[in-house]
Amino acid sequence: MTVLLQADNIAKHFGGIRALKDVSLTINAGEIYGLIGPNGAGKTTFFNVITGLYQRDGGDIVFAGQPLHVESPHEVTQAGIARTFQNIRLFAEMSALENVMVGRHLRSKGSVIGAMLRTPAVRAEEAAIKTKALELLAYVGIAGKAEVRAASLSYGDQRRLEIARALATEPKLLALDEPAAGMNATETAGLRALIEKVRADGTTVLLIEHDVKLIMGLCDRVAVLDYGEKIAEDVPAVVQKDPRVVSAYLGVPYEQ
Amino acid sequence: METFIQQLINGLTLGSIYALVALGYTMVYGILGLINFAHGEVVMIGALVALAVYKALAATLLPPLLILLVGLCVAAAVCMALGWAIERIAYRPLRNAPRLAPLITAIGVSIVLQQFAMLFWGRSYHSVPALLPDTSYDVLGARISAVQIVIMLAAAASMAGLIALVQRSKLGRAMRATAEKPEVAALMGVDANRIVALTFVVGSALAALAGVLVSANYSIAHYQMGFLLGLKAFTAAVLGGIGNIGGAVLGGVLLGIIEAMGAGYIGDLTGGVLGSHYQDIFCFLVLITVLVFRPSGLMGEKVSERA
Amino acid sequence: MYAQKKKIAGVALIGVALAILPFVIGMGFGNAWMRMLDFALLYIMLALGLNIVVGFAGLLDLGYIAFYAVGAYIYALLASPHFGLHWPLWAILPLGALVAGMFGMLLGAPTLRLRGDYLAIVTLGFGEIIRIFLNNLNAPINITNGPKGIAGIDPLAKNIEIFGYALHSLYLIYYLFVALALLIVVVTMRLEKSRLGRAWVAIREDEIAAKACGINTRNVKLLAFAMGASFGGVAGGLFAGFQQFVSPESFGLFESIMVLCMVVLGGMGNIPGVILGAVVLTVLPELFRQWAGPMQMALFGQTYIDPESMRLLLFGIALILVMRFRPMGLLPSSRRKAEFEHAAEEGVTS
């Protein structure tokens, strides 16, 4: 099995608070990897460090065999990690189609001059961007909503659109921050099918979730964070029985 | 050395006035997140109203200090009403509009106020009578005038008053709550509209004071005096970290000193190539430099980008 | 196919209208109106440039007029007796666009981390810095001729005779301006519908999400500044040749605010809206100025309010009223309008 992302001793603190204490984990290519933990355990912080939104205070990240350069989020996206946000961040005034087209920015190269002259190359590229974006909308199941303003989409569709936009950057790793938050059972089931499809098509998935049932049913491997530390990392069946994980979730102090 | 002390005194005087005006900007910004572009004109109206009162009372043989106080009170009353009106006309109807819309209405109000003042008081510069004793004192070889002392004391006292108001009083608590989270404050029974209006009123009272002080300092008042003063004060508010009351005071005083030092030394520093007319560049350069290294101003909270 | 034909017909119609407009205006109302028409075209170019920065990328720029000043002074220095240079128009305009664009980058580079109103005040400061330099660069070496400005600038065009019929230079200038304004309109429209245009709007909508989409926000913002500035530079060069005189007075903060008002009043981000805003704010105040005096004379027998003051007063009132009743601008883009109505329906207050 090839390792896609290797994080070693990642540390991050905010003022005096150590949000991440030397967290190490390994994500293999082709798996669905879950990151869980009680509120405030540092999941989102870890996520933001990996995706370049926060600068880490210590540790190394190797992604796809290269040290990950995380000066700015766009470089991370360039390297092949795309993300969604816990509290959906779409371009509200743009249509669903345009949102996905923005996602193609990185994988296209039309220049200002090209756009002004509207050269054949630029026109062809523009058409390709649009085709690809429409494909992706169909892929996540909202083909009919291409011209709808992002802000007017239903909650579940907004989540799907955000995934389509992330996929448009052609990521090796798709990182989803609580994608099922606020969804009902039907929507969650649909989401689950979508994530499985993404993986089946060759994209590795990193998933942060509160919904333990979804994580346990979907993920190949799971890591558990508590108070900024990794307390377990294994297949769901094992993690589920780990006494430290149980106590972290139930609030019972774990004694050796 | 004397130049230094003298420019420091001048800078502190000027800075106190900037700070007073900057407080008005920063309070409104703190609560609405918007620039009150018309604030500089409120200062101008304050100065001209006070001047009208001085002229009306000049023949009454009242003691000059009393005339000054009456002028200040009338100016404050007019400006507070004006502040209230600005909020009602330019800001409240646009609470749900795009962010730039209230900026444009405020620019509109600013133009209207300026033209109104011009029609009322004319285009000419008015000399402001000296109502404070014309004495000055020797400090380490530099001169400090009674006017300068009064300006610094009055500014310091009103800033202390404002900080007490915001930190201690019920109104202040409501202001801070509204600035922090308007929806939650509303749920707690705070009437946000009233608080916003009062913020404008309080800021305008400070503007009136600033208008009276600045016209006393330069002995001159003019219908366009509010523009540059407002610009400088807004710069000061941003320099200190807009939305932060302490920051406005710090920014104002700093800007005043920087400007005075710039005016005093820029010629010597550049071997006479750049004269004192470059002092305005000085203040903007400092502002840009500060913001490059501290994008939220000197005392502004660092806005962390949250995902 | 039908839509295509309709579009061609529409373009042709606009073309014919623009071609005969000066004769209708000039013959019907005189040369003062022709000058106004030319000015309206200049302001259209300026407003479209600022619209890229403010309307598309959402960066509030209060010092935009500085780029207009840069363009104007470049023309003034290279085509006037001041240095004895007389470069041709076609050489100066691209140079003006280039230099103004570079100034745009220069302003953009240190300010990119700033957001919203911080950016506004820094751009404002930049505008003032440029103006102060223009005012004072007459010593030790006389470059800008200081507050007196530069006079005797080479005209853009001379009066000519066609078929024995005298044609005032204002007409030729009109066609030059129309051509360049149309060029800028086309370029703006193409940019809006391009990969970069989308990136600009994405940054305006949500900068963090834009970064997460792989957009190098720093470069893309710099590009917005540079593009907007270069339009300003072109308009500035034309202004200098049109007026044949430049002085720092023409490039104050009020001018920046005026252009911003055109963009916002017309309908930010919407090209037809911005054009409308520029035309309305050029023509209406001028009309007031021309009519305010005579009208007062006719009504009251004397002039109570001086026309210049009247113009500004009405301008201020107009800004308040338009924003009060059409907060999205006179001609908002349909998307923005829907957004606003949506928010209003839900009664969102913040």
Side-chain angles (χ1 to χ4, degrees), chain C residues 68 70-73 75-76 89 92-93 156 232-242:
Chain C
Y68 189 54
V70 167
Y73 267 86
Y75 189 98
L89 177 71
I92 301 177
L93 281 191
L156 288 172
V234 171
L238 295 175
F239 169 76
F242 182 42

Side-chain angles (χ1 to χ4, degrees), chain B residues 84-284:
Chain B
W84 182 83
I86 290 174
E87 197 269 332
R88 283 310 291 258
I89 293 169
Y91 286 86
R92 192 174 298 183
L94 294 167
R95 216 52 79 68
N96 293 324
R99 271 177 60 79
L100 280 184
L103 184 74
I104 302 293
T105 48
I107 290 170
V109 169
S110 163
I111 294 171
V112 168
L113 283 178
Q114 223 183 75
Q115 292 311 312
F116 176 79
M118 200 222 83
L119 294 173
F120 211 79
W121 283 289
R123 282 183 192 281
S124 51
Y125 284 80
H126 302 276
S127 70
V128 175
L131 296 168
L132 288 162
D134 186 21
T135 46
S136 60
Y137 309 89
D138 201 66
V139 188
L140 299 167
R143 305 294 295 172
I144 181 166
S145 69
V147 177
Q148 289 180 312
I149 295 175
V150 169
I151 289 176
M152 287 186 232
L153 289 180
S158 50
M159 282 178 232
L162 179 75
I163 290 172
L165 174 82
V166 172
Q167 295 297 334
R168 300 281 157 76
S169 74
K170 204 175 149 208
L171 171 64
R173 202 177 322 130
M175 280 180 180
R176 280 180 290 140
T178 309
E180 191 90 15
K181 277 232 160 43
E183 310 85 15
V184 180
L187 287 177
M188 297 296 126
V190 175
D191 179 355
N193 278 337
R194 191 172 144 266
I195 297 302
V196 171
L198 282 173
T199 307
F200 273 83
V201 168
V202 173
S204 300
L206 294 177
L209 176 63
V212 168
L213 294 180
V214 76
S215 60
N217 192 38
Y218 293 120
S219 309
I220 234 166
H222 182 230
Y223 82 101
Q224 281 180 327
M225 66 188 278
F227 176 71
L228 195 60
L229 185 61
L231 194 60
K232 296 279 182 64
F234 181 59
T235 307
V238 172
L239 185 65
I242 195 157
N244 181 316
I245 288 183
V249 176
L250 177 74
V253 171
L254 260 183
L255 194 72
I257 293 175
I258 291 166
E259 236 184 80
M261 293 296 168
Y265 287 104
I266 195 169
D268 297 344
L269 282 177
T270 57
V273 173
L274 303 180
S276 61
H277 32 258
Y278 280 98
Q279 63 162 311
D280 291 340
I281 285 192
F282 226 66
C283 98
F284 285 121

Side-chain angles (χ1 to χ4, degrees), chain A residues 39-98:
Chain A
N39 272 328
K43 303 180 300 271
T44 296
T45 305
F46 182 80
F47 210 82
N48 286 341
V49 166
I50 295 283
T51 52
L53 201 56
Y54 293 164
Q55 296 300 305
R56 60 181 183 268
D57 297 312
D60 293 303
I61 304 170
V62 176
F63 180 73
Q66 301 280 328
L68 188 65
H69 196 60
V70 285
E71 292 282 294
S72 174
H74 76 264
E75 292 171 329
V76 175
T77 315
Q78 173 87 52
I81 302 179
R83 68 170 293 171
T84 65
F85 294 87
Q86 196 173 323
N87 45 346
I88 311 176
R89 303 187 85 129
L90 290 168
F91 307 119
E93 277 188 27
M94 299 173 112
S95 70
L97 178 65
E98 284 169 315

Side-chain angles (χ1 to χ4, degrees), chain A residues 14-254:
Chain A
F14 297 105
I17 301 159
R18 294 178 66 196
L20 291 176
K21 298 171 199 160
D22 301 334
V23 175
S24 303
L25 46 83
T26 311
I27 300 173
N28 297 317
E31 71 182 350
I32 299 180
Y33 188 96
L35 189 59
I36 60 170
N39 272 328
K43 303 180 300 271
T44 296
T45 305
F46 182 80
F47 210 82
N48 286 341
V49 166
I50 295 283
T51 52
L53 201 56
Y54 293 164
Q55 296 300 305
R56 60 181 183 268
D57 297 312
D60 293 303
I61 304 170
V62 176
F63 180 73
Q66 301 280 328
L68 188 65
H69 196 60
V70 285
E71 292 282 294
S72 174
H74 76 264
E75 292 171 329
V76 175
T77 315
Q78 173 87 52
I81 302 179
R83 68 170 293 171
T84 65
F85 294 87
Q86 196 173 323
N87 45 346
I88 311 176
R89 303 187 85 129
L90 290 168
F91 307 119
E93 277 188 27
M94 299 173 112
S95 70
L97 178 65
E98 284 169 315
N99 266 273
V100 184
M101 287 171 83
V102 171
R104 294 299 295 162
H105 185 88
L106 201 54
R107 309 295 169 202
S108 47
K109 50 185 190 299
S111 67
V112 185
I113 308 291
M116 284 187 212
L117 301 177
R118 201 163 272 186
T119 56
V122 166
R123 264 192 271 184
E125 186 183 76
E126 192 70 5
I129 291 174
K130 195 169 174 185
T131 313
K132 176 81 183 169
L134 285 168
E135 271 171 35
L136 281 164
L137 285 176
Y139 184 81
V140 301
I142 48 172
K145 311 266 170 70
E147 295 306 325
V148 181
R149 224 166 42 97
S152 321
L153 288 173
S154 75
Y155 188 76
D157 286 350
Q158 290 194 4
R159 287 265 179 225
R160 285 169 181 274
L161 177 55
E162 218 189 4
I163 293 174
R165 189 180 68 186
L167 287 173
T169 67
E170 292 173 19
K172 295 188 182 79
L173 176 67
L174 175 67
L176 305 172
D177 193 352
E178 299 201 14
M183 282 189 170
N184 62 32
T186 329
E187 284 171 328
T188 308
L191 177 74
R192 188 180 157 158
L194 177 59
I195 294 174
E196 275 170 343
K197 186 162 72 164
V198 168
R199 188 261 297 270
D201 291 333
T203 307
T204 311
V205 179
L206 166 64
L207 190 64
I208 289 189
E209 231 345 300
H210 261 310
D211 188 335
V212 177
K213 218 174 92 193
L214 178 69
I215 284 270
M216 294 304 174
L218 187 60
C219 295
D220 302 309
R221 287 191 311 133
V222 175
V224 186
L225 289 184
D226 190 29
Y227 292 110
E229 281 180 283
K230 189 178 80 175
I231 57 172
E233 181 184 24
D234 214 319
V235 295
V238 176
V239 167
Q240 230 165 350
K241 296 200 181 77
D242 188 317
R244 289 185 61 178
V245 175
V246 175
S247 75
Y249 266 91
L250 298 179
V252 185
Y254 168 73

Side-chain angles (χ1 to χ4, degrees), chain B residues 61-75:
Chain B
L61 298 172
L62 287 170
L65 216 54
L66 189 65
I67 295 183
L68 182 72
L69 281 178
V70 174
L72 174 63
C73 290
V74 175

